[in-house]
Amino acid sequence: CQKLTDASITAVAEKCANLTELNAAGCSNLTDVSIAAVAANCPKLVTLDVRACRKLTDASLADVADNCANLTELKVASCELTALPANIGKLSRLRILVASGNRLRELPRSIVELDASCDLCFLNNPLQTPPLDIAEHGIPAIKLYFEELDDTA
């Protein structure tokens, strides 16, 4: 995967508007440029796997959430992300979110807008809001955490 570049992924995205799956796990040369191109040009995307693409930043996921409404699987483990986008809740069809091994300290409140059955994995993140033990219990537990937080404020 060392030979895949932003230019090659962008070319695929621009020519394959019907792309439904992209597995670029471990492609260390990819940056936000390629993910922005995929988000902008591949509205039918269902699965995006960019695990261990360490040059990606938090910004690229906002593009995905804005433009990839059909996404059911998002795998962003070990990308050194510091945040999930505030608009993550737009991904109403998401059923699997793997964001383990990043540097996430808090989850955006919009995460509770994801389907209650969405399978979440946040292992090996320094999560504080909500704490990891709550986040690992899924969307209903996260929603309750934020509701209780609001009640005490």
Side-chain angles (χ1 to χ4, degrees):
C1 197
Q2 300 296 329
K3 293 183 180 181
L4 281 181
T5 64
D6 285 336
S8 56
I9 294 293
T10 298
V12 168
E14 289 173 349
K15 294 187 182 351
C16 301
N18 291 323
L19 187 71
T20 58
E21 295 184 26
L22 178 62
N23 184 342
C27 294
S28 59
N29 294 322
L30 301 186
T31 70
D32 292 345
V33 170
S34 55
I35 301 308
V38 169
N41 294 293
C42 304
K44 296 180 181 180
L45 197 67
V46 174
T47 301
L48 179 61
D49 186 346
V50 291
R51 290 173 292 163
C53 293
R54 289 186 166 85
K55 291 183 181 177
L56 297 181
T57 70
D58 310 339
S60 62
L61 294 184
D63 291 335
V64 170
D66 277 338
N67 299 305
C68 300
N70 293 313
L71 208 62
T72 61
E73 289 185 35
L74 178 59
K75 297 178 180 178
V76 293
S78 302
C79 290
E80 299 187 19
L81 301 174
T82 58
L84 293 178
N87 60 348
I88 191 89
K90 286 184 170 184
L91 298 173
S92 61
R93 295 182 181 173
L94 200 64
R95 297 297 175 263
I96 297 172
L97 174 59
V98 179
S100 56
N102 285 293
R103 294 181 286 154
L104 304 175
R105 292 192 176 280
E106 62 183 83
L107 299 178
R109 286 180 178 253
S110 72
I111 199 161
V112 301
E113 296 168 23
L114 296 178
D115 188 272
S117 65
C118 185
D119 186 18
L120 305 173
C121 182
F122 296 112
L123 293 174
N124 299 317
N125 278 290
L127 267 181
Q128 296 173 353
T129 307
L132 183 60
D133 61 326
I134 292 173
E136 286 297 314
H137 283 92
I139 298 297
I142 296 169
K143 186 173 185 176
L144 182 61
Y145 171 84
F146 283 127
E147 288 172 353
E148 290 176 355
L149 199 61
D150 291 342
D151 288 345
T152 60

